[in-house]
């Protein structure tokens, strides 16, 4: 039986999937891309006696980071992780689009991670995979033992993230999908930043980035 239980809530004005990666043996939880409503996220964890172990960010757009600063107030010892190439975008309200579509927000990680770095968090070994395209510093998180990929806004169900915002690149996102993510095993389950989950096998057949 898998020790990983993945739960999610759709939060924020753009309908972002906020993931709770729960170790069922320890009740430790990793939060991914806290989009909005920190009070709700904290309440959900406290109701279930979840112990937050980390906050992982796939990229720096406001709809994936908006609750981070308030979560830090609730859990000052919980570290925030993001890819090292995303510092400028996360810290700039114009680039992260919060000043355009919401209240301005600036976020910096506690720990800046590198491509292929292995994070040992909540009893899981999590590989950082740098996947530029949606943003230049976007990344995915791969838990090989659990056949799980958290793909952020790089790979969606039969789609991929937009590339027309700051630091985006269509050629880069195609390379990230074709040359990196779709090389993973077919039976890996993919949990994207928006819309429904999918699998690597399904995206090899139906994702428009392949054709």
């Amino acid at each position: 039986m898998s020790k990983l239980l993945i739960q999610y809530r759709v939060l924020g004005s753009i309908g972002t999937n906020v993931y709770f990666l729960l170790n069922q043996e320890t009740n430790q939880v990793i939060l991914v891309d806290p989009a909005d409503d920190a009070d709700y996220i904290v309440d959900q964890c406290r109701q279930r006696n979840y112990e937050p172990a980390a906050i992982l960010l796939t990229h720096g757009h406001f709809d994936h980071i908006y609750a981070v600063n308030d979560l830090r107030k609730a859990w000052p010892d919980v570290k925030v992780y993001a890819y090292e190439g995303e510092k400028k975008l996360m810290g700039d309200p114009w680039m992260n689009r919060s000043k355009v579509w919401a209240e301005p927000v600036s976020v910096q990680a506690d720990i800046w991670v590198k491509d292929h770095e292995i994070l040992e968090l909540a009893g899981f070994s999590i590989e950082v995979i740098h996947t530029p395209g949606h943003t230049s510093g976007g990344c995915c998180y791969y838990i090989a033992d659990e056949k799980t990929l958290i793909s952020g806004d790089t790979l969606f169900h039969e789609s991929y993230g937009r590339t027309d915002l700051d630091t985006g690149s269509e050629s880069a996102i195609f390379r990230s999908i074709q040359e990196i993510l779709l090389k993973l095993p077919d039976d890996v389950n993919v949990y994207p930043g928006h819309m429904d989950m999918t699998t690597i096998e399904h995206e090899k057949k139906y994702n428009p980035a392949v054709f």
Side-chain angles (χ1 to χ4, degrees):
M1 177 181 172
S2 171
K3 66 181 178 181
L4 174 64
L5 175 64
I6 299 181
Q7 301 171 318
Y8 76 99
R9 301 291 185 270
V10 179
L11 299 176
S13 59
I14 304 183
T16 303
N17 294 334
V18 179
Y19 290 104
F20 298 69
L21 310 183
L22 178 69
N23 184 327
Q24 298 182 90
E25 296 175 357
T26 66
N27 243 32
Q28 288 184 296
V29 69
I30 300 167
L31 301 171
V32 182
D33 288 352
D36 202 354
D37 203 343
D39 289 343
Y40 175 82
I41 294 170
V42 171
D43 185 63
Q44 290 294 299
C45 290
R46 287 176 175 167
Q47 283 187 31
R48 293 163 174 77
N49 293 317
Y50 292 169
E51 179 186 347
I55 296 171
L56 302 184
L57 305 179
T58 62
H59 65 288
H61 283 150
F62 82 97
D63 60 311
H64 291 253
I65 67 172
Y66 216 76
V68 168
N69 290 332
D70 285 335
L71 290 177
R72 280 176 157 146
K73 296 174 185 176
W75 300 312
D77 295 329
V78 175
K79 303 300 184 185
V80 176
Y81 296 73
Y83 186 72
E84 61 182 354
E86 200 74 339
K87 294 179 184 179
K88 184 176 180 180
L89 187 144
M90 285 175 53
D92 187 329
W94 282 109
M95 293 181 70
N96 69 37
R97 313 306 284 182
S98 61
K99 199 161 187 176
V100 180
W101 292 324
E103 290 295 318
V105 64
S106 176
V107 171
Q108 293 297 311
D110 299 300
I111 298 174
W112 297 103
V113 297
K114 301 179 182 298
D115 192 23
H116 300 301
E117 183 174 347
I118 303 298
L119 308 177
E120 299 292 342
L121 298 169
F124 302 110
S125 295
I126 305 171
E127 181 182 0
V128 178
I129 303 177
H130 179 215
T131 52
H134 181 60
T135 66
S136 61
C139 71
C140 299
Y141 296 100
Y142 179 44
I143 310 176
D145 292 344
E146 301 287 346
K147 300 183 183 299
T148 294
L149 178 75
I150 308 296
S151 64
D153 283 6
T154 300
L155 182 62
F156 294 152
H157 177 260
E158 298 182 12
S159 188
Y160 52 87
R162 63 188 293 182
T163 59
D164 59 332
L165 302 177
D166 292 273
T167 78
S169 166
E170 186 172 70
S171 60
I173 206 168
F174 281 11
R175 287 193 299 270
S176 292
I177 292 171
Q178 295 170 1
E179 300 174 14
I180 301 174
L181 298 185
L182 296 187
K183 300 296 184 183
L184 297 174
D186 284 357
D187 59 352
V188 168
N189 293 312
V190 179
Y191 296 87
H194 303 274
M195 303 184 290
D196 297 331
M197 69 164 289
T198 184
T199 65
I200 294 296
E201 180 179 30
H202 185 88
E203 296 313 307
K204 283 182 178 178
K205 297 176 181 177
Y206 301 110
N207 198 286
V210 176
F211 305 106

